[in-house]
Amino acid sequence: MDRKALKVFEQELPPEWLYVIPKLQELIHDLPTNGSKVLYQLWKQIPGRTTPPEEKRTPLEKLRDLVLRLSRDWERYIEFYHDPGIPWTNNRTEQIIGRLKSRAKRVRGYKSSEGLLAGCLVACQFWS
């Protein structure tokens, strides 16, 4: 979830529900192991759907769906705590992309598919 989505919620939600946004931001920033339970408790506080299925959902209904989805998928978000093969950050990936982007700027892109493959192999070997 990105900051833009939360900004939209800040603009559309009724004022009495704005306290949910900072809670979501904190959970996403800290990624606590009990986040799914916290989110589920928050979800139970938000009233259920009141609009008919054929009508557009209200911002509060969308927020409720978001909180439930985050709660349901929380274990996927914190999987790096349990699996040492999953890095805590994507810095290495970002660095490789940056190198490829820098090269592309200097040479104005790859001239052939062979050049693209060679560039990828060089980047992979550098980080191995």
Side-chain angles (χ1 to χ4, degrees), residues 4 6-7 15-16 23 32 44 46-47 52 60 74 82 86 114 128:
K4 288 182 184 179
L6 291 178
K7 287 287 183 196
E16 64 270 19
K23 285 186 181 225
K44 290 191 331 186
I46 303 172
L60 190 56
W74 193 255
H82 311 293
I86 300 174
E114 292 83 17
S128 294

Side-chain angles (χ1 to χ4, degrees), residues 11-47:
Q11 295 169 358
E12 295 179 350
L13 281 175
E16 64 270 19
W17 292 102
L18 288 177
Y19 76 92
V20 175
I21 303 300
K23 285 186 181 225
L24 291 178
Q25 289 171 330
E26 180 182 346
L27 286 168
I28 292 167
H29 180 267
D30 295 345
L31 294 175
T33 55
N34 69 335
S36 63
K37 292 177 185 171
V38 174
L39 287 162
Y40 181 71
Q41 292 301 320
L42 190 59
W43 174 80
K44 290 191 331 186
Q45 295 173 20
I46 303 172

Side-chain angles (χ1 to χ4, degrees), residues 10 18 33 41-42 71-72 81 121:
E10 283 181 336
L18 288 177
T33 55
Q41 292 301 320
L42 190 59
S71 174
R72 211 177 33 228
Y81 287 138
L121 288 174

